[in-house]
Amino acid sequence: EPEVTQTPSHQVTQMGQEVILRCVPISNHLYFYWYRQILGQKVEFLVSFYNNEISEKSEIFDDQFSVERPDGSNFTLKIRSTKLEDSAMYFCASSESDGAYYEQYFGPGTRLTVT
Amino acid sequence: AQKVTQAQTEISVVEKEDVTLDCVYETRDTTYYLFWYKQPPSGELVFLIRRNSFDEQNEISGRYSWNFQKSTSSFNFTITASQVVDSAVYFCALSGSGNNRKLIWGLGTSLAVNP
């Protein structure tokens, strides 16, 4: 069964460093998302991406964040200068195109620890 | 504004008991989608069910059932004859249609099923 994959599973970085989180969505999916979950808290939407551009972003997704689909398979989230409060689990998700059935399938997550 | 409320933060039951997880939502959209996801201790997000706003039929899948009532803006989830493997955090989520596809999440209900 196709699945969303994410690398690395755990990333430790120092405050102020740049990190890139990688995701490979399901191959025929056209919508891509990033969410984050601070430990013990709810899942929060960061950004959605469609047709090679951001379709929606939350207030969390400030200038420190960027997303890119550098090739036909990868979808990346970059944090330019990490802060302690960026420590969280980051989930990538993808969904099919239009239609009634577009549940988002999630990757296993990348745990980001900023020290 | 869209909002999802899961009033039960933690539930503890003994194996074989039935348990219902409550979800109340708010939205002004006429077309919207409701979801339940399971997050086991391993941390991944597992899709359980999607319901669209035009389909109020209840659904049963094995020991799981869902009760969608637009009149009370609720989408409750019942596990019949709970098992230890059901122990997880369960999230209810809401999304709109068209370009408004981001998932708005509840705080989650942590379910502990004890032997």
Side-chain angles (χ1 to χ4, degrees), chain A residues 17-50:
Chain A
Q17 295 296 304
E18 174 184 287
V19 294
I20 297 176
L21 310 182
R22 291 184 167 79
C23 168
V24 179
I26 295 173
S27 62
N28 64 333
H29 286 187
L30 299 177
Y31 286 85
F32 314 112
Y33 310 82
W34 283 101
Y35 293 83
R36 79 172 186 190
Q37 184 183 29
I38 294 170
L39 186 63
Q41 298 187 23
K42 70 175 178 180
V43 182
E44 299 173 293
F45 168 77
L46 292 178
V47 65
S48 59
F49 192 86
Y50 172 69

PDB file of all heavy atoms in Angstrom, chain A residues 17-50:
ATOM      1  N   GLN A  17      20.193  27.278  13.907  1.00  0.00           N
ATOM      2  CA  GLN A  17      20.599  26.516  12.737  1.00  0.00           C
ATOM      3  C   GLN A  17      19.416  26.317  11.793  1.00  0.00           C
ATOM      4  O   GLN A  17      18.245  26.375  12.179  1.00  0.00           O
ATOM      5  CB  GLN A  17      21.144  25.143  13.152  1.00  0.00           C
ATOM      6  CG  GLN A  17      22.428  25.208  13.964  1.00  0.00           C
ATOM      7  CD  GLN A  17      23.576  25.797  13.173  1.00  0.00           C
ATOM      8  OE1 GLN A  17      23.918  25.317  12.090  1.00  0.00           O
ATOM      9  NE2 GLN A  17      24.176  26.852  13.685  1.00  0.00           N
ATOM     10  N   GLU A  18      19.727  26.061  10.548  1.00  0.00           N
ATOM     11  CA  GLU A  18      18.710  25.750   9.549  1.00  0.00           C
ATOM     12  C   GLU A  18      18.485  24.247   9.510  1.00  0.00           C
ATOM     13  O   GLU A  18      19.436  23.465   9.639  1.00  0.00           O
ATOM     14  CB  GLU A  18      19.198  26.226   8.179  1.00  0.00           C
ATOM     15  CG  GLU A  18      18.288  25.838   7.017  1.00  0.00           C
ATOM     16  CD  GLU A  18      18.867  26.259   5.671  1.00  0.00           C
ATOM     17  OE1 GLU A  18      18.854  27.467   5.376  1.00  0.00           O
ATOM     18  OE2 GLU A  18      19.316  25.356   4.924  1.00  0.00           O
ATOM     19  N   VAL A  19      17.229  23.870   9.347  1.00  0.00           N
ATOM     20  CA  VAL A  19      16.927  22.451   9.172  1.00  0.00           C
ATOM     21  C   VAL A  19      16.021  22.277   7.956  1.00  0.00           C
ATOM     22  O   VAL A  19      15.225  23.163   7.628  1.00  0.00           O
ATOM     23  CB  VAL A  19      16.244  21.824  10.405  1.00  0.00           C
ATOM     24  CG1 VAL A  19      17.175  21.795  11.586  1.00  0.00           C
ATOM     25  CG2 VAL A  19      14.952  22.532  10.743  1.00  0.00           C
ATOM     26  N   ILE A  20      16.165  21.147   7.323  1.00  0.00           N
ATOM     27  CA  ILE A  20      15.282  20.781   6.220  1.00  0.00           C
ATOM     28  C   ILE A  20      14.676  19.428   6.539  1.00  0.00           C
ATOM     29  O   ILE A  20      15.400  18.454   6.761  1.00  0.00           O
ATOM     30  CB  ILE A  20      16.038  20.724   4.882  1.00  0.00           C
ATOM     31  CG1 ILE A  20      16.588  22.110   4.518  1.00  0.00           C
ATOM     32  CG2 ILE A  20      15.100  20.231   3.771  1.00  0.00           C
ATOM     33  CD1 ILE A  20      17.430  22.136   3.260  1.00  0.00           C
ATOM     34  N   LEU A  21      13.372  19.400   6.569  1.00  0.00           N
ATOM     35  CA  LEU A  21      12.653  18.157   6.799  1.00  0.00           C
ATOM     36  C   LEU A  21      12.119  17.679   5.451  1.00  0.00           C
ATOM     37  O   LEU A  21      11.541  18.460   4.691  1.00  0.00           O
ATOM     38  CB  LEU A  21      11.503  18.368   7.785  1.00  0.00           C
ATOM     39  CG  LEU A  21      11.857  19.089   9.084  1.00  0.00           C
ATOM     40  CD1 LEU A  21      10.637  19.180   9.997  1.00  0.00           C
ATOM     41  CD2 LEU A  21      13.013  18.428   9.792  1.00  0.00           C
ATOM     42  N   ARG A  22      12.277  16.395   5.206  1.00  0.00           N
ATOM     43  CA  ARG A  22      11.931  15.864   3.894  1.00  0.00           C
ATOM     44  C   ARG A  22      10.756  14.909   3.942  1.00  0.00           C
ATOM     45  O   ARG A  22      10.587  14.155   4.895  1.00  0.00           O
ATOM     46  CB  ARG A  22      13.154  15.180   3.280  1.00  0.00           C
ATOM     47  CG  ARG A  22      14.245  16.153   2.905  1.00  0.00           C
ATOM     48  CD  ARG A  22      15.429  15.511   2.220  1.00  0.00           C
ATOM     49  NE  ARG A  22      16.304  16.508   1.617  1.00  0.00           N
ATOM     50  CZ  ARG A  22      17.194  17.235   2.274  1.00  0.00           C
ATOM     51  NH1 ARG A  22      17.330  17.070   3.568  1.00  0.00           N
ATOM     52  NH2 ARG A  22      17.936  18.127   1.645  1.00  0.00           N
ATOM     53  N   CYS A  23      10.010  14.936   2.875  1.00  0.00           N
ATOM     54  CA  CYS A  23       8.808  14.115   2.764  1.00  0.00           C
ATOM     55  C   CYS A  23       8.705  13.615   1.334  1.00  0.00           C
ATOM     56  O   CYS A  23       9.024  14.347   0.384  1.00  0.00           O
ATOM     57  CB  CYS A  23       7.590  14.965   3.123  1.00  0.00           C
ATOM     58  SG  CYS A  23       5.983  14.249   2.732  1.00  0.00           S
ATOM     59  N   VAL A  24       8.273  12.372   1.193  1.00  0.00           N
ATOM     60  CA  VAL A  24       7.922  11.855  -0.126  1.00  0.00           C
ATOM     61  C   VAL A  24       6.445  11.501  -0.079  1.00  0.00           C
ATOM     62  O   VAL A  24       6.050  10.517   0.561  1.00  0.00           O
ATOM     63  CB  VAL A  24       8.756  10.631  -0.516  1.00  0.00           C
ATOM     64  CG1 VAL A  24       8.322  10.114  -1.898  1.00  0.00           C
ATOM     65  CG2 VAL A  24      10.244  10.981  -0.526  1.00  0.00           C
ATOM     66  N   PRO A  25       5.611  12.314  -0.705  1.00  0.00           N
ATOM     67  CA  PRO A  25       4.165  12.042  -0.679  1.00  0.00           C
ATOM     68  C   PRO A  25       3.816  10.821  -1.529  1.00  0.00           C
ATOM     69  O   PRO A  25       4.649  10.309  -2.270  1.00  0.00           O
ATOM     70  CB  PRO A  25       3.563  13.318  -1.286  1.00  0.00           C
ATOM     71  CG  PRO A  25       4.654  14.337  -1.250  1.00  0.00           C
ATOM     72  CD  PRO A  25       5.931  13.567  -1.371  1.00  0.00           C
ATOM     73  N   ILE A  26       2.587  10.400  -1.430  1.00  0.00           N
ATOM     74  CA  ILE A  26       2.098   9.309  -2.279  1.00  0.00           C
ATOM     75  C   ILE A  26       2.098   9.790  -3.726  1.00  0.00           C
ATOM     76  O   ILE A  26       1.701  10.932  -4.006  1.00  0.00           O
ATOM     77  CB  ILE A  26       0.698   8.854  -1.808  1.00  0.00           C
ATOM     78  CG1 ILE A  26       0.828   8.250  -0.403  1.00  0.00           C
ATOM     79  CG2 ILE A  26       0.074   7.868  -2.784  1.00  0.00           C
ATOM     80  CD1 ILE A  26      -0.479   7.907   0.267  1.00  0.00           C
ATOM     81  N   SER A  27       2.526   8.950  -4.624  1.00  0.00           N
ATOM     82  CA  SER A  27       2.936   9.397  -5.960  1.00  0.00           C
ATOM     83  C   SER A  27       1.831  10.065  -6.780  1.00  0.00           C
ATOM     84  O   SER A  27       2.102  10.984  -7.526  1.00  0.00           O
ATOM     85  CB  SER A  27       3.526   8.230  -6.745  1.00  0.00           C
ATOM     86  OG  SER A  27       2.556   7.223  -6.916  1.00  0.00           O
ATOM     87  N   ASN A  28       0.605   9.671  -6.689  1.00  0.00           N
ATOM     88  CA  ASN A  28      -0.424  10.290  -7.522  1.00  0.00           C
ATOM     89  C   ASN A  28      -1.170  11.408  -6.792  1.00  0.00           C
ATOM     90  O   ASN A  28      -2.177  11.913  -7.287  1.00  0.00           O
ATOM     91  CB  ASN A  28      -1.411   9.234  -8.023  1.00  0.00           C
ATOM     92  CG  ASN A  28      -2.180   8.598  -6.875  1.00  0.00           C
ATOM     93  OD1 ASN A  28      -1.688   8.548  -5.747  1.00  0.00           O
ATOM     94  ND2 ASN A  28      -3.379   8.116  -7.150  1.00  0.00           N
ATOM     95  N   HIS A  29      -0.687  11.794  -5.640  1.00  0.00           N
ATOM     96  CA  HIS A  29      -1.337  12.862  -4.891  1.00  0.00           C
ATOM     97  C   HIS A  29      -0.852  14.221  -5.355  1.00  0.00           C
ATOM     98  O   HIS A  29       0.279  14.371  -5.824  1.00  0.00           O
ATOM     99  CB  HIS A  29      -1.078  12.687  -3.392  1.00  0.00           C
ATOM    100  CG  HIS A  29      -1.876  11.580  -2.797  1.00  0.00           C
ATOM    101  ND1 HIS A  29      -1.897  11.346  -1.439  1.00  0.00           N
ATOM    102  CD2 HIS A  29      -2.674  10.639  -3.352  1.00  0.00           C
ATOM    103  CE1 HIS A  29      -2.696  10.314  -1.194  1.00  0.00           C
ATOM    104  NE2 HIS A  29      -3.175   9.877  -2.337  1.00  0.00           N
ATOM    105  N   LEU A  30      -1.737  15.199  -5.234  1.00  0.00           N
ATOM    106  CA  LEU A  30      -1.439  16.526  -5.760  1.00  0.00           C
ATOM    107  C   LEU A  30      -1.429  17.623  -4.704  1.00  0.00           C
ATOM    108  O   LEU A  30      -0.943  18.715  -4.954  1.00  0.00           O
ATOM    109  CB  LEU A  30      -2.453  16.895  -6.849  1.00  0.00           C
ATOM    110  CG  LEU A  30      -2.468  15.972  -8.064  1.00  0.00           C
ATOM    111  CD1 LEU A  30      -3.561  16.411  -9.038  1.00  0.00           C
ATOM    112  CD2 LEU A  30      -1.107  15.975  -8.764  1.00  0.00           C
ATOM    113  N   TYR A  31      -2.009  17.325  -3.521  1.00  0.00           N
ATOM    114  CA  TYR A  31      -2.027  18.294  -2.432  1.00  0.00           C
ATOM    115  C   TYR A  31      -1.065  17.825  -1.350  1.00  0.00           C
ATOM    116  O   TYR A  31      -1.065  16.649  -0.993  1.00  0.00           O
ATOM    117  CB  TYR A  31      -3.425  18.415  -1.824  1.00  0.00           C
ATOM    118  CG  TYR A  31      -4.414  19.169  -2.673  1.00  0.00           C
ATOM    119  CD1 TYR A  31      -5.127  18.531  -3.677  1.00  0.00           C
ATOM    120  CD2 TYR A  31      -4.651  20.520  -2.463  1.00  0.00           C
ATOM    121  CE1 TYR A  31      -6.037  19.223  -4.458  1.00  0.00           C
ATOM    122  CE2 TYR A  31      -5.567  21.220  -3.235  1.00  0.00           C
ATOM    123  CZ  TYR A  31      -6.254  20.564  -4.232  1.00  0.00           C
ATOM    124  OH  TYR A  31      -7.156  21.250  -4.996  1.00  0.00           O
ATOM    125  N   PHE A  32      -0.310  18.759  -0.826  1.00  0.00           N
ATOM    126  CA  PHE A  32       0.679  18.412   0.185  1.00  0.00           C
ATOM    127  C   PHE A  32       0.557  19.377   1.353  1.00  0.00           C
ATOM    128  O   PHE A  32       0.207  20.541   1.171  1.00  0.00           O
ATOM    129  CB  PHE A  32       2.093  18.470  -0.416  1.00  0.00           C
ATOM    130  CG  PHE A  32       2.192  17.789  -1.755  1.00  0.00           C
ATOM    131  CD1 PHE A  32       2.422  18.523  -2.896  1.00  0.00           C
ATOM    132  CD2 PHE A  32       2.016  16.418  -1.861  1.00  0.00           C
ATOM    133  CE1 PHE A  32       2.487  17.905  -4.140  1.00  0.00           C
ATOM    134  CE2 PHE A  32       2.072  15.786  -3.097  1.00  0.00           C
ATOM    135  CZ  PHE A  32       2.309  16.536  -4.233  1.00  0.00           C
ATOM    136  N   TYR A  33       0.850  18.841   2.516  1.00  0.00           N
ATOM    137  CA  TYR A  33       0.643  19.621   3.736  1.00  0.00           C
ATOM    138  C   TYR A  33       1.791  19.380   4.705  1.00  0.00           C
ATOM    139  O   TYR A  33       2.388  18.316   4.723  1.00  0.00           O
ATOM    140  CB  TYR A  33      -0.659  19.186   4.438  1.00  0.00           C
ATOM    141  CG  TYR A  33      -1.882  19.116   3.542  1.00  0.00           C
ATOM    142  CD1 TYR A  33      -2.111  18.002   2.756  1.00  0.00           C
ATOM    143  CD2 TYR A  33      -2.792  20.153   3.510  1.00  0.00           C
ATOM    144  CE1 TYR A  33      -3.232  17.922   1.938  1.00  0.00           C
ATOM    145  CE2 TYR A  33      -3.921  20.089   2.701  1.00  0.00           C
ATOM    146  CZ  TYR A  33      -4.124  18.965   1.915  1.00  0.00           C
ATOM    147  OH  TYR A  33      -5.237  18.888   1.106  1.00  0.00           O
ATOM    148  N   TRP A  34       1.996  20.362   5.560  1.00  0.00           N
ATOM    149  CA  TRP A  34       2.813  20.179   6.754  1.00  0.00           C
ATOM    150  C   TRP A  34       1.985  20.581   7.973  1.00  0.00           C
ATOM    151  O   TRP A  34       1.297  21.615   7.951  1.00  0.00           O
ATOM    152  CB  TRP A  34       4.084  21.016   6.713  1.00  0.00           C
ATOM    153  CG  TRP A  34       5.152  20.464   5.822  1.00  0.00           C
ATOM    154  CD1 TRP A  34       5.472  20.867   4.569  1.00  0.00           C
ATOM    155  CD2 TRP A  34       6.055  19.399   6.132  1.00  0.00           C
ATOM    156  NE1 TRP A  34       6.495  20.124   4.064  1.00  0.00           N
ATOM    157  CE2 TRP A  34       6.875  19.208   5.008  1.00  0.00           C
ATOM    158  CE3 TRP A  34       6.252  18.573   7.255  1.00  0.00           C
ATOM    159  CZ2 TRP A  34       7.883  18.247   4.955  1.00  0.00           C
ATOM    160  CZ3 TRP A  34       7.246  17.615   7.203  1.00  0.00           C
ATOM    161  CH2 TRP A  34       8.049  17.450   6.068  1.00  0.00           C
ATOM    162  N   TYR A  35       2.087  19.752   8.981  1.00  0.00           N
ATOM    163  CA  TYR A  35       1.469  20.017  10.283  1.00  0.00           C
ATOM    164  C   TYR A  35       2.550  19.835  11.336  1.00  0.00           C
ATOM    165  O   TYR A  35       3.560  19.168  11.104  1.00  0.00           O
ATOM    166  CB  TYR A  35       0.341  19.026  10.578  1.00  0.00           C
ATOM    167  CG  TYR A  35      -0.865  19.146   9.685  1.00  0.00           C
ATOM    168  CD1 TYR A  35      -0.899  18.536   8.436  1.00  0.00           C
ATOM    169  CD2 TYR A  35      -1.997  19.840  10.109  1.00  0.00           C
ATOM    170  CE1 TYR A  35      -2.018  18.634   7.619  1.00  0.00           C
ATOM    171  CE2 TYR A  35      -3.127  19.936   9.301  1.00  0.00           C
ATOM    172  CZ  TYR A  35      -3.121  19.333   8.058  1.00  0.00           C
ATOM    173  OH  TYR A  35      -4.235  19.429   7.253  1.00  0.00           O
ATOM    174  N   ARG A  36       2.310  20.422  12.505  1.00  0.00           N
ATOM    175  CA  ARG A  36       3.217  20.140  13.601  1.00  0.00           C
ATOM    176  C   ARG A  36       2.417  19.831  14.853  1.00  0.00           C
ATOM    177  O   ARG A  36       1.265  20.242  15.007  1.00  0.00           O
ATOM    178  CB  ARG A  36       4.179  21.299  13.850  1.00  0.00           C
ATOM    179  CG  ARG A  36       3.583  22.441  14.616  1.00  0.00           C
ATOM    180  CD  ARG A  36       4.614  23.467  15.005  1.00  0.00           C
ATOM    181  NE  ARG A  36       4.007  24.481  15.862  1.00  0.00           N
ATOM    182  CZ  ARG A  36       4.598  25.606  16.209  1.00  0.00           C
ATOM    183  NH1 ARG A  36       5.830  25.870  15.765  1.00  0.00           N
ATOM    184  NH2 ARG A  36       3.995  26.466  16.994  1.00  0.00           N
ATOM    185  N   GLN A  37       3.067  19.107  15.745  1.00  0.00           N
ATOM    186  CA  GLN A  37       2.455  18.757  17.017  1.00  0.00           C
ATOM    187  C   GLN A  37       3.499  18.925  18.101  1.00  0.00           C
ATOM    188  O   GLN A  37       4.436  18.122  18.203  1.00  0.00           O
ATOM    189  CB  GLN A  37       1.925  17.324  16.990  1.00  0.00           C
ATOM    190  CG  GLN A  37       1.180  16.930  18.256  1.00  0.00           C
ATOM    191  CD  GLN A  37       0.727  15.491  18.240  1.00  0.00           C
ATOM    192  OE1 GLN A  37       1.353  14.633  17.622  1.00  0.00           O
ATOM    193  NE2 GLN A  37      -0.384  15.198  18.908  1.00  0.00           N
ATOM    194  N   ILE A  38       3.354  19.976  18.879  1.00  0.00           N
ATOM    195  CA  ILE A  38       4.205  20.134  20.049  1.00  0.00           C
ATOM    196  C   ILE A  38       3.835  19.038  21.035  1.00  0.00           C
ATOM    197  O   ILE A  38       2.653  18.674  21.171  1.00  0.00           O
ATOM    198  CB  ILE A  38       4.034  21.541  20.646  1.00  0.00           C
ATOM    199  CG1 ILE A  38       4.565  22.575  19.642  1.00  0.00           C
ATOM    200  CG2 ILE A  38       4.759  21.657  21.971  1.00  0.00           C
ATOM    201  CD1 ILE A  38       4.257  24.002  19.995  1.00  0.00           C
ATOM    202  N   LEU A  39       4.829  18.510  21.715  1.00  0.00           N
ATOM    203  CA  LEU A  39       4.633  17.337  22.561  1.00  0.00           C
ATOM    204  C   LEU A  39       3.426  17.483  23.479  1.00  0.00           C
ATOM    205  O   LEU A  39       3.317  18.444  24.227  1.00  0.00           O
ATOM    206  CB  LEU A  39       5.900  17.098  23.393  1.00  0.00           C
ATOM    207  CG  LEU A  39       5.919  15.822  24.224  1.00  0.00           C
ATOM    208  CD1 LEU A  39       5.866  14.604  23.319  1.00  0.00           C
ATOM    209  CD2 LEU A  39       7.144  15.779  25.116  1.00  0.00           C
ATOM    210  N   GLY A  40       2.520  16.515  23.368  1.00  0.00           N
ATOM    211  CA  GLY A  40       1.360  16.479  24.254  1.00  0.00           C
ATOM    212  C   GLY A  40       0.247  17.430  23.868  1.00  0.00           C
ATOM    213  O   GLY A  40      -0.757  17.515  24.568  1.00  0.00           O
ATOM    214  N   GLN A  41       0.415  18.118  22.750  1.00  0.00           N
ATOM    215  CA  GLN A  41      -0.601  19.083  22.346  1.00  0.00           C
ATOM    216  C   GLN A  41      -1.287  18.643  21.056  1.00  0.00           C
ATOM    217  O   GLN A  41      -1.018  17.573  20.523  1.00  0.00           O
ATOM    218  CB  GLN A  41       0.028  20.464  22.198  1.00  0.00           C
ATOM    219  CG  GLN A  41       0.618  20.986  23.495  1.00  0.00           C
ATOM    220  CD  GLN A  41       1.089  22.422  23.388  1.00  0.00           C
ATOM    221  OE1 GLN A  41       0.633  23.184  22.537  1.00  0.00           O
ATOM    222  NE2 GLN A  41       2.008  22.790  24.263  1.00  0.00           N
ATOM    223  N   LYS A  42      -2.172  19.479  20.580  1.00  0.00           N
ATOM    224  CA  LYS A  42      -2.922  19.093  19.403  1.00  0.00           C
ATOM    225  C   LYS A  42      -2.087  19.328  18.147  1.00  0.00           C
ATOM    226  O   LYS A  42      -1.072  19.995  18.150  1.00  0.00           O
ATOM    227  CB  LYS A  42      -4.231  19.860  19.307  1.00  0.00           C
ATOM    228  CG  LYS A  42      -4.106  21.339  18.989  1.00  0.00           C
ATOM    229  CD  LYS A  42      -5.480  21.948  18.811  1.00  0.00           C
ATOM    230  CE  LYS A  42      -5.406  23.436  18.545  1.00  0.00           C
ATOM    231  NZ  LYS A  42      -6.761  24.022  18.384  1.00  0.00           N
ATOM    232  N   VAL A  43      -2.553  18.751  17.078  1.00  0.00           N
ATOM    233  CA  VAL A  43      -1.909  18.918  15.785  1.00  0.00           C
ATOM    234  C   VAL A  43      -2.319  20.275  15.205  1.00  0.00           C
ATOM    235  O   VAL A  43      -3.491  20.667  15.272  1.00  0.00           O
ATOM    236  CB  VAL A  43      -2.330  17.782  14.827  1.00  0.00           C
ATOM    237  CG1 VAL A  43      -1.629  17.911  13.501  1.00  0.00           C
ATOM    238  CG2 VAL A  43      -2.033  16.416  15.460  1.00  0.00           C
ATOM    239  N   GLU A  44      -1.340  20.985  14.652  1.00  0.00           N
ATOM    240  CA  GLU A  44      -1.604  22.320  14.099  1.00  0.00           C
ATOM    241  C   GLU A  44      -1.202  22.374  12.630  1.00  0.00           C
ATOM    242  O   GLU A  44      -0.120  21.915  12.249  1.00  0.00           O
ATOM    243  CB  GLU A  44      -0.793  23.374  14.859  1.00  0.00           C
ATOM    244  CG  GLU A  44      -1.094  23.473  16.333  1.00  0.00           C
ATOM    245  CD  GLU A  44      -0.136  24.420  17.027  1.00  0.00           C
ATOM    246  OE1 GLU A  44       1.066  24.115  17.114  1.00  0.00           O
ATOM    247  OE2 GLU A  44      -0.601  25.495  17.470  1.00  0.00           O
ATOM    248  N   PHE A  45      -2.047  22.969  11.832  1.00  0.00           N
ATOM    249  CA  PHE A  45      -1.771  23.150  10.416  1.00  0.00           C
ATOM    250  C   PHE A  45      -0.686  24.200  10.222  1.00  0.00           C
ATOM    251  O   PHE A  45      -0.695  25.257  10.867  1.00  0.00           O
ATOM    252  CB  PHE A  45      -3.057  23.581   9.708  1.00  0.00           C
ATOM    253  CG  PHE A  45      -2.875  24.085   8.313  1.00  0.00           C
ATOM    254  CD1 PHE A  45      -2.659  23.204   7.266  1.00  0.00           C
ATOM    255  CD2 PHE A  45      -2.932  25.434   8.040  1.00  0.00           C
ATOM    256  CE1 PHE A  45      -2.502  23.663   5.966  1.00  0.00           C
ATOM    257  CE2 PHE A  45      -2.784  25.918   6.748  1.00  0.00           C
ATOM    258  CZ  PHE A  45      -2.565  25.033   5.717  1.00  0.00           C
ATOM    259  N   LEU A  46       0.245  23.926   9.333  1.00  0.00           N
ATOM    260  CA  LEU A  46       1.262  24.910   8.975  1.00  0.00           C
ATOM    261  C   LEU A  46       1.005  25.474   7.580  1.00  0.00           C
ATOM    262  O   LEU A  46       0.874  26.683   7.402  1.00  0.00           O
ATOM    263  CB  LEU A  46       2.658  24.287   9.002  1.00  0.00           C
ATOM    264  CG  LEU A  46       3.217  23.885  10.363  1.00  0.00           C
ATOM    265  CD1 LEU A  46       4.581  23.240  10.195  1.00  0.00           C
ATOM    266  CD2 LEU A  46       3.310  25.079  11.289  1.00  0.00           C
ATOM    267  N   VAL A  47       0.948  24.586   6.588  1.00  0.00           N
ATOM    268  CA  VAL A  47       0.914  25.055   5.215  1.00  0.00           C
ATOM    269  C   VAL A  47       0.358  23.979   4.306  1.00  0.00           C
ATOM    270  O   VAL A  47       0.500  22.777   4.582  1.00  0.00           O
ATOM    271  CB  VAL A  47       2.341  25.466   4.774  1.00  0.00           C
ATOM    272  CG1 VAL A  47       3.265  24.257   4.737  1.00  0.00           C
ATOM    273  CG2 VAL A  47       2.348  26.210   3.448  1.00  0.00           C
ATOM    274  N   SER A  48      -0.302  24.412   3.242  1.00  0.00           N
ATOM    275  CA  SER A  48      -0.719  23.488   2.192  1.00  0.00           C
ATOM    276  C   SER A  48      -0.123  23.953   0.872  1.00  0.00           C
ATOM    277  O   SER A  48       0.127  25.157   0.670  1.00  0.00           O
ATOM    278  CB  SER A  48      -2.239  23.377   2.111  1.00  0.00           C
ATOM    279  OG  SER A  48      -2.815  24.644   1.848  1.00  0.00           O
ATOM    280  N   PHE A  49       0.073  23.008  -0.024  1.00  0.00           N
ATOM    281  CA  PHE A  49       0.832  23.277  -1.251  1.00  0.00           C
ATOM    282  C   PHE A  49       0.154  22.545  -2.389  1.00  0.00           C
ATOM    283  O   PHE A  49      -0.135  21.350  -2.280  1.00  0.00           O
ATOM    284  CB  PHE A  49       2.254  22.758  -1.038  1.00  0.00           C
ATOM    285  CG  PHE A  49       3.268  23.175  -2.060  1.00  0.00           C
ATOM    286  CD1 PHE A  49       3.933  24.379  -1.935  1.00  0.00           C
ATOM    287  CD2 PHE A  49       3.599  22.340  -3.116  1.00  0.00           C
ATOM    288  CE1 PHE A  49       4.901  24.753  -2.850  1.00  0.00           C
ATOM    289  CE2 PHE A  49       4.556  22.697  -4.046  1.00  0.00           C
ATOM    290  CZ  PHE A  49       5.224  23.912  -3.902  1.00  0.00           C
ATOM    291  N   TYR A  50      -0.108  23.274  -3.460  1.00  0.00           N
ATOM    292  CA  TYR A  50      -0.776  22.672  -4.603  1.00  0.00           C
ATOM    293  C   TYR A  50      -0.312  23.379  -5.871  1.00  0.00           C
ATOM    294  O   TYR A  50      -0.171  24.603  -5.884  1.00  0.00           O
ATOM    295  CB  TYR A  50      -2.302  22.798  -4.464  1.00  0.00           C
ATOM    296  CG  TYR A  50      -3.074  22.383  -5.690  1.00  0.00           C
ATOM    297  CD1 TYR A  50      -3.119  21.046  -6.076  1.00  0.00           C
ATOM    298  CD2 TYR A  50      -3.756  23.326  -6.463  1.00  0.00           C
ATOM    299  CE1 TYR A  50      -3.826  20.660  -7.200  1.00  0.00           C
ATOM    300  CE2 TYR A  50      -4.460  22.945  -7.581  1.00  0.00           C
ATOM    301  CZ  TYR A  50      -4.494  21.608  -7.949  1.00  0.00           C
ATOM    302  OH  TYR A  50      -5.201  21.217  -9.071  1.00  0.00           O
TER     303      TYR A  50
END
